[in-house]
Amino acid sequence: MATIESENSKDSSYDRIAEVKAFDETKLGVKGLLDSGITKIPRMFYHAKVNDNTETTPNDLKFNVPIIDLKDIDTNSSLRVKALDKVRRACKEWGFFQVVNHGIGVEVLDEMLCGIQRFHEQDAEVRKTFYSRDRSKKVRYFSNGSLFRDPAANWRDSIAFFSSPDPPNPEEIPAVCRDIVVEYTDKIRAFGLTMFELFSEALGLPTSYLNELDSIKGEFHLCHYYPPCPEPELTMGTSKHTDISFMTILLQDHIGGLEVLHENQWVDVHPVHGSLLLTNDMFISVYHRVLSRDVGPRISVASFFTSSFPEYVSKVVGKTCIFYSFLDMATIESENSKDSSYDRIAEVKAFDETKLGVKGLLDSGITKIPRMFYHAKVNDNTETTPNDLKFNVPIIDLKDIDTNSSLRVKALDKVRRACKEWGFFQVVNHGIGVEVLDEMLCGIQRFHEQDAEVRKTFYSRDRSKKVRYFSNGSLFRDPAANWRDSIAFFSSPDPPNPEEIPAVCRDIVVEYTDKIRAFGLTMFELFSEALGLPTSYLNELDSIKGEFHLCHYYPPCPEPELTMGTSKHTDISFMTILLQDHIGGLEVLHENQWVDVHPVHGSLLLTNDMFISVYHRVLSRDVGPRISVASFFTSSFPEYVSKVVGPIKELLSEENPPIYRDTTIKDVAAHYHKKGLDGNRSLDPFRRASKEWGFFQVVNHGIGVEVLDEMLCGIRRFHEQDAEVRKTFYSRDQNSESSHNFTYDRTAEVKAFDDTKLGVKGLLDSGVTNIPRMFHHEKLNMHEISKEDSKLCVPIIDLQDIETNSSLRAQVVDKIRSACQKWGFFQVINHGVGVEVLNEMICGIRRFHEQDAEVRKTFYSRDNNKKVRYFSNVNPFRGKGANWRDTISFFLTPDPPNPEEIPIVCRDIVIEYSKKVRTLGDTIFELFSEALGLNPSYLKELESSNGQFLLGHYYPACPEPELTLGTSKHTDSDFMTVLLEDHMGGLQVLHENQWVDVHPVHGSLIVNIGDFLQLITNGRFVSVYHRVLARNTGPRISIASFFINTSTRGTSKVVESSKDSSYDRITEVKVFDETKLGVKGLFDSGVTKIPRMFHHAKVKDNTETTPNDLKFNVPIIDLKDVEKNSSMRVEALDKIKRACKEWGFFQVVNHGIGVEVLDEMLHGIRRFHEQDAKVRKTFYSRDMSKKVRYFSNGRLFTDSTADWRDSIAFFSSPDPPNPEEIPVVCRYLSNTNFDCDNFDTIKFIDIVVEYTEKIRAFGLTMFELFSEALGLPTSYLNELDSTKGEFHLCHFSPPCPEPELTMSSSNHTDMSFMTILLQDQIGGLEVLHENQWVDVHPVHGSLVINIGDLLQRWNRLATHAYLPGNACCSTQLWVSLMKGMAVVINLPGRESMEKMLEGLRRCWISGRLPERHTSSGDTGLASRRQRRGDSWQNNSLLDLVRLAVKVFPPSEVNRVGLSKALRAWRYMFTAKRSESGQHLAPREQRQAILLQQNCVVLVVWCVVYKASRIS
C-alpha cells in the first residue's frame, strides 16, 4: 500500500519507476531529452512546490549575498583583520559569501567552465562511455545522483571527480577537459587551504587548526550542466538542500539561477565575473537551490572539502560520527566496500525485470543469495529471544462474548491489557471456520507456485491496481531487500472485479475478505469499549472503511542468516489481522527482546496502532514456504489524501495529553512509503516533540547569534580567569534570597505584615526607610527601558464623533485594529467620560487609602467572594516578591454590591464612574467587533462584557524603589481592561522586547487586550506583558476596570467556598498554624468535622480504581544473600529492573536492617507525636534551615488544600544535627536494668541515629544495585553523590473523622533520587499503576522503595498518594536520598573537628573495649563504613557529653552507686593511654567507633559523674 502521488492522481496508469528506468537506460541524461526536441518535460521532473509563496525573493539591497575582497590579506595585517571580520559575519549571518581577488586567474575559471560545457555538449556516444552509477568510480557522468530515491528529479546532468586524497589517473579524465580539470583542482585545493586558515582565525583558533583536522583531506568536484528547460515553472535545477561538507567552493557562469534562503526569503546570488562562492557547515549551513531556466545552458563547478572518504566511517567531529552523503554523492555502502565494482541499482533492476520474484531465484537453483538481500544486522545481540514462558504473546478466547456479558468483560480486560503491554495478541474462537483459514493459505500458495509465465502477468509496481503481484514494495528504496514475494488485494471500499483476481484463489479470496471484514467490525467494537468509548465509536470514524490484504510467500532461503523475511517495522494501519501458517518465524519486540509468535492452528493475530504500535519482523528460514495473509484496516484510500487523524479527543485530558499531533493519513502513508522498511517507527515524525524527547531545538527564536556567542564567551572567560579571583565566588549556599541571613522566615514576615491589615501604606506611615525583604524582587531588571523614540509611544486614538461620522469611525476602527495587533495597548481621548468624573474617581480612591487606619482596617479581607474588600497583594504567601501597593476591589456587575457596602468616602463616585466606563466598554467592544470584520454586536452577544470588576490601586512612595515593583510583569486574564491613572506615571508595556513608558495624558483612558480576547481572536489581537515601577515619589493612583464574562469570576473563587461566601481560608490556615499542635491537636480537641482547609476536591477518582487482581500487587524483592551469591544477585537485579520500569515502586525484605530497629523507629516517632503537647510545640517551626523541626503540611500556605497529617523532619547528611537537637522521646534505652559489673548485658540504642545510619548504608547498597541494573559500574551512582544528601520525613496521621473528604498525602511524586519508606501495619499508601490506584499492602519488616524524579530518566516515574483512615494512628517514615538542597552544608573538615575536640584528646582510649551489641542483620556495617572512609574523628566526646547532660541530668547520674560508677570508670580507662594524643591504630579506631555508637550513654555517665566529683 503506497501513497498515490497527488500529481499522478489524474492518471492512475502512470508508472514512475518505469519512466525513471527508461530515462536512466538512455545514459544521455537531461541533455539527451533536450536534443530529442521535447517541448514537455517528463512527469518524473515535476516538483510539487517550485514557487513557494511563503518565501519570496526581495529586491532590497540589504539582501545581497556578501562579497569579500581578499586582496593583499597575506601581506597587510589590517586588511586581513577586516577580511576576517567580514568572513565571520558572513558565515554567521548568511552561511554564503562571494570572494574576489582570491588568487586564481579569471582565465582559469573561464576555461574550467568551457571545459565542462565541452564535455556535456560533445557527441552523445562518447559521453555515454562515462555514464555510471557506481559511486566508487573516481570519474563518472550521470544525471541525478539519487534518481531512484528522490520524489522528483532535477533538470541537470553532472560529471564528478574525486581529486583527493587518491586522485584519478589523468587518462580517466575526459580528454576534452583533462588539462583544465587538473589545473583547476590544484588551484582550488591551494585556495581551500587559505580559506581554512581564515576560518580558523575567524573562530579564534590557531591558523592551522582546521587544516590539521584534515578538513581538506578529501576533495570532490561536481560539475553541473543545466540545459534550457521548456517548462521551467514545473521543475528545479537543484532542489532545496544544504551541503554537509566542511566547505563548498562554487564556480558559476553568468546565467544565474542560484538562490540562498536568508531570513525566510529566497535571495538571488547574482554572478560576479571572476568570483568564487563559498558556503560551509562549520558556522551555519543554509538552504540553497537552483532554479531551472528557459535559457542556457548554465554551468557550475562545486568543490566539496571534507575528510578522506575511505576513512569517513570512523571520523569523529565533536561528539558525532560523520557519515557523508553529498548532494548527488551518496554514501558508499559498507557492504560493497570489498568490491568496488558492485552496482546494486543494476542488480535490483535485473531482478525486478524478471518479474518472477524470490520464487524465481529459488527455482533457478541458486545456493547463494544475491547481495541485494544482505541485511547488515540480522542478529541483534542487544535483542535476544527469551525462552521464558511469560514472554508468550497473549491468546484471547472470544467464545460467547456476544451472548455472555461476564465473558465479554473478561475479554475486554484481556484485550486492553494486551494492547497496552504488547500491541500484539492472538484470538481463538473468532467465528471464522478453520477450513476457511486453511483454504486461504492454500489458495495463496497455489498462486505463488503456479506456472511462472502465468504469475508474471500479474506482476506490477503500479500501486493504483487493485490486484497486483510483486516482490518488495519499496525495492528501489530499501537498503536491503526482503526474502519474500507478495500478492496484494484492495478489497474496500472499491473492490476489484472478480475476474481481476487470479483464478487459482478467486473464490477463497472473496469469501475470506468478507469474513475478515465482519470480524474487523467486531474487533473495532471491542477496541472502542476497551477505550471506554461507545461501542460503535471507531466504526463511525471510518476506521474500517479501507481494507487491504497483503499475502506473503516466503520460500526456503539457502542463507537465512544473511537476510530477513520481513524487516523490523511497525504497521501504519488502524488495525492489522494476520493469518499465518505453521512454519513460524514472526517475532515481536517486547521489553527490548524479540519474542517468537508461535503459530496456533485456527487463530488470528492482531496488531494495532491505537494503543501502541510495536516493532515486528519475520525471520527467513531454510524450510518452507511460509505463507501469511495480512489484512490492513484503514480509511478509504481515495479519500485519505485529506482525511485528518489524531488522538481521540474523548481520551485526552491534562493527565493524558496528546502524544501525536493531528495530521492527514496522506502524510503518514507518504512518510511510510518514503522511508520503506528501515527499522524506524512510522509515527515517530508525528509525535509531539516535548512528549517524545523532553528536548527540542529552536531556531529563529529572536535572540541574536551575537548575544548567544557573547554569553558563551563570557562564561568561558569567568571559568578561565585567575583561580584566586574565581575562588572568591565559590559557595554552596543555594538560597540566594537568604544568603545574608540563613534564618530568614518569609512566611512569618508575610503573616506579620498581613495581620496588621494596614498594607503598604501602614509601613510607610510607620517611617520605614528600608523595605521588608518580602517585597524584594530577585530578578528586577531596571535596565530594560525603552528608547526615547517617538515610534515607541503607545498609540493615542480619538473617539470624537465616531457615532455620527462613518468615515471617522472607519479610520478609528483601522487604528484600533493596528493597535490591538501590534501593541495590545492604546489610549483613548474624547471617549465620553467627563474629566471631572475621572479626577473625582482618582480623588475618591485616594481618600479611601489615606483615611484613618482603623476605619480602613474594617474593609480588610482575603475573602475573594466579597464584593467590596481592601487588601494588599492578592496572595502574598504564594508570590516570590510582594508588590509595593494596596488595593480596594469592587465586583460591580452583574450582581452589584449594596451601596452601603461601598466606603462612604468614595461611594458616589464609584457608582457613577463604573456606569460611565461600562457604557464606554460597550462602545469599544463594538469597535473591536468591527475591527475583526464581525457584526458590531458580536462580542457583546458573547457576553464578553457582562461582568465588570474594578481595582483601585494605591502606590505609596517607596524608600527603595530599585528593589521592588508596584505591579509585577503580567498580562490580564479578562477580555479587556480600561485603566484610569493619575499624572505620576510608572506604567510600562513590553513592546518588541522593550519596556515602553505609557506617558499619562490628562483626560485619557488606557485600553488593553486581555488573554480571553487574544484566545477567541486566535492571536489576531494580542495580550501583552505590562508592569508598574515603584517610585520614590507618590502616591500613584490607578483604577483598572476589568471586563469579564460572568463565568470567569468563578476562577477567583475557592472551590470549597462555593456554599459559603463568608469562608476565609487564609484566616483558617493562619489560626491552625498558630496553635503549633498540628492535626494531632485537632484530634485531641475532639473534632467530629474536619476543617474546610482539609477538604480535597477529588478524593475518590472514579476513573482510577483499585483492582483486586493479584498481578496488581507492588513487587516484593528478596535481597537475601545478594552480596555473596552472584546468581541470587543477578535474579534480584532483574526484578529491580522490571519493578523500576513497570512500577517505580517495590518493597524489599531481608534488607539487612533488623525488625526490632524498624519497629523501635516507628515507636519512637509515635512517642514524639503523642507526647505532651507543650513539649511538642517547642519543636514546631516553618524554618526550613533547621535540621530538626516539627510541622504540619510543608506548604500549608501555598497548597490549595491541606493534608491530614503532621511531620517531624531530620536532615541527617551531609551535616547531621547535634544529638541534643533530636527530641528525647525519639531515643531509646532498650535495657535499663543493667549491671555495671557485666557490660556484656548492656545494650544502648539512640534509635534515630541508629536507624539513619543503617538506612544510609542500605541506600548505598540500593544505589549499587541500581547502577548494575542500568549496566553501569557498581559504584557509579554513589560516585555521583546521589546519596550525599539524606533527609527523613516522619509522618503521623491521626484517625480522621471524615476520611472521605481529605487525604493524608496528596497525589505526588518525589523529587529525590530515591525514597525509602518504612510504614506501619495500618496501610493506606497507594501507587498509580496503569491508571489505577493500587494499595501497597504493609509487609512487616519490609521497606518500600520508590524512584524519585531525579532518576526518572532511567525508568518510569510512579505517582503515589496516601489515604487517611479512621481506625487508628498511622506512622510513616520517608527517607529521601537527594543530591543537594538549599539547607545542605558541607561536612566539617579535619581542622574544624580537631578544634572541637580540643581539651578532650586525653580521653582517647586504647586496649580492650566492650563488644558491640548489634541488632539482627547488622553484620558488615562497620566494615562498610570503613570502606567508605568514615573516620573516628567524626564523633567527639564533647558531643556525647552534651547528649548525656540533656538526656540524663545529674540527678539521674547520682542514682548510680559510687562504687559501681568507679568500677565502670576503671574498666573503661585502666588501659595505657596514648601519650602523644595522636590517632589510634586501625583496630583501635574500629573499637572506638563501636564504643561511641553503642555504649554512648554509659561512657558519658562516667565522664559526667567524675566531672561533678572533681568540681
Side-chain angles (χ1 to χ4, degrees), residues 137 407 482 495 498 532 618 850 883 988 1068 1095 1303 1373 1379-1380 1382 1402 1446:
K137 285 192 174 183
L407 288 177
N482 288 315
V618 179
E850 295 184 349
N883 290 317
Q988 292 185 331
E1068 186 179 41
H1095 289 193
M1303 299 285 292
L1373 177 65
K1379 185 176 181 180
R1402 299 174 187 174
K1446 187 167 184 179

Side-chain angles (χ1 to χ4, degrees), residues 398-428:
L398 301 184
K399 187 176 181 180
D400 296 333
I401 62 169
D402 290 326
T403 57
N404 188 317
S405 60
S406 64
L407 288 177
R408 188 176 186 93
V409 170
K410 290 180 181 178
L412 282 172
D413 184 61
K414 292 179 180 179
V415 167
R416 186 185 302 112
R417 293 182 191 280
C419 289
K420 286 184 177 179
E421 297 174 5
W422 281 84
F424 259 73
F425 59 93
Q426 297 189 71
V427 292
V428 294

Side-chain angles (χ1 to χ4, degrees), residues 212-322:
E212 291 172 357
L213 282 182
D214 296 338
S215 305
I216 198 172
K217 195 171 184 180
E219 189 180 346
F220 169 65
H221 307 266
L222 266 180
C223 309
H224 297 308
Y225 179 90
Y226 302 84
C229 180
E231 294 180 294
E233 70 280 0
L234 296 181
T235 189
M236 297 290 293
T238 298
S239 305
K240 172 183 171 182
H241 70 287
T242 61
D243 298 337
I244 68 163
S245 59
F246 282 98
M247 174 179 67
T248 304
I249 301 176
L250 179 71
L251 167 64
Q252 62 171 339
D253 65 8
H254 64 286
I255 297 295
L258 175 65
E259 293 186 331
V260 58
L261 188 61
H262 179 67
E263 295 186 6
N264 207 34
Q265 292 180 312
W266 284 111
V267 180
D268 285 327
V269 182
H270 302 291
V272 176
H273 187 229
S275 71
L276 292 170
L277 185 72
L278 277 81
T279 179
N280 71 87
D281 199 25
M282 289 181 296
F283 290 77
I284 57 172
S285 180
V286 296
Y287 284 114
H288 49 288
R289 67 183 183 184
V290 179
L291 301 180
S292 57
R293 296 286 177 90
D294 54 5
V295 295
R298 177 185 184 267
I299 312 293
S300 70
V301 181
S303 302
F304 302 90
F305 291 88
T306 185
S307 294
S308 174
F309 302 103
E311 300 169 4
Y312 70 77
V313 293
S314 61
K315 181 68 176 178
V316 176
V317 180
K319 294 183 179 178
T320 306
C321 186
I322 302 296

Side-chain angles (χ1 to χ4, degrees), residues 65 146 250 335 366 428 633 834 855 1029 1063 1219 1356 1472 1492:
V65 173
S146 49
L250 179 71
E335 66 270 20
I366 62 167
V428 294
F633 291 87
V855 178
L1029 301 180
Y1063 174 67
R1356 194 173 93 190
K1472 181 180 178 181
Q1492 291 172 355

